[in-house]
Amino acid sequence: MSRYSVDPGRYGPAAAEHPAGERDATRPGEHHPADGTAADTVRQPVKYDNDSYVRDYSRCILCYKCVEACGEDAQNTFAIAVAGRGFDTRISTEFDVTLPGSACVYCGNCIGVCPTGALMPASEYTMRQAGTWDESKQTVTTTICPYCGVGCNLELHVQDNRIVKVTSPLDHDVSNGHLCVKGRFGFEFVQRRAGES
């Protein structure tokens, strides 16, 4: 912002955060012009409706990489798409249903391509909120996924002797950075001690 002398204050104070679900409920043609007293915002509460990942659409820049990963680029599930038009354009599930009610298979490939952190593993989000996420203390170990015979490479991000996130190298011939739900989120069993439920 300083490099380009950007002054967001010229638009006035930031408007209040949108209530949960308000932006999802907008329809084309319902955009109302700003009254000039505040700068409109896309801020809204984080969507935390499943155990695998969170969606913070306040950070979304509408690059559509998640839509492509969920569609023809990787998964062919088409659980997420672009909704709305113009200023109300946003990423959404098909027919604006909840994520658990959508066709999502929780592969997390949308997380793998998101450049802004609008989509983030729940484990990482929880640690960031608690202030315990520290990439300088993490090691990354490459291994083979143990769940099936395909041979996807996994990058295990380990902090404090615990796996905190799993990614896949983009240049791997088998997975090309993509994983299934087991490969990306099925690491909790590693941390279970004998006798724990």
Side-chain angles (χ1 to χ4, degrees):
M1 289 172 59
S2 60
R3 179 178 177 186
Y4 294 103
S5 302
V6 174
D7 178 21
R10 69 187 176 135
Y11 299 108
E17 181 175 275
H18 290 275
E22 179 184 285
R23 281 185 49 82
D24 293 332
T26 58
R27 298 287 176 248
E30 294 180 358
H31 178 70
H32 302 289
D35 60 9
T37 60
D40 201 5
T41 182
V42 295
R43 287 185 302 145
Q44 57 186 304
V46 174
K47 295 184 179 196
Y48 204 156
D49 56 4
N50 66 86
D51 293 333
S52 300
Y53 65 95
V54 298
R55 298 175 289 156
D56 183 359
Y57 289 140
S58 300
R59 303 176 74 170
C60 180
I61 58 171
L62 295 174
C63 68
Y64 305 159
K65 288 184 176 190
C66 59
V67 175
E68 293 167 356
C70 189
E72 295 178 359
D73 280 2
Q75 193 60 33
N76 286 302
T77 303
F78 301 95
I80 54 178
V82 179
R85 297 291 181 268
F87 290 108
D88 291 324
T89 302
R90 64 206 177 274
I91 303 300
S92 179
T93 57
E94 78 276 10
F95 304 114
D96 291 332
V97 298
T98 62
L99 193 64
S102 74
C104 180
V105 295
Y106 299 97
C107 64
N109 290 322
C110 54
I111 297 169
V113 298
C114 181
T116 64
L119 302 169
M120 184 180 294
S123 56
E124 179 179 348
Y125 178 77
T126 303
M127 290 179 71
R128 284 185 184 273
Q129 292 301 107
T132 57
W133 183 264
D134 187 355
E135 290 185 15
S136 68
K137 294 181 179 177
Q138 293 178 12
T139 58
V140 179
T141 303
T142 303
T143 187
I144 303 293
C145 183
Y147 280 104
C148 75
V150 171
C152 297
N153 267 16
L154 303 182
E155 294 174 327
L156 306 178
H157 299 251
V158 178
Q159 179 180 328
D160 300 326
N161 208 27
R162 292 185 64 83
I163 300 171
V164 293
K165 179 171 81 168
V166 175
T167 57
S168 182
L170 297 174
D171 60 351
H172 188 250
D173 293 341
V174 175
S175 59
N176 295 313
H178 303 299
L179 295 171
C180 72
V181 62
K182 294 176 185 176
R184 192 173 306 272
F185 299 115
F187 58 85
E188 287 296 325
F189 78 94
V190 175
Q191 274 124 208
R192 297 265 191 252
R193 304 274 185 222
E196 289 183 3
S197 57

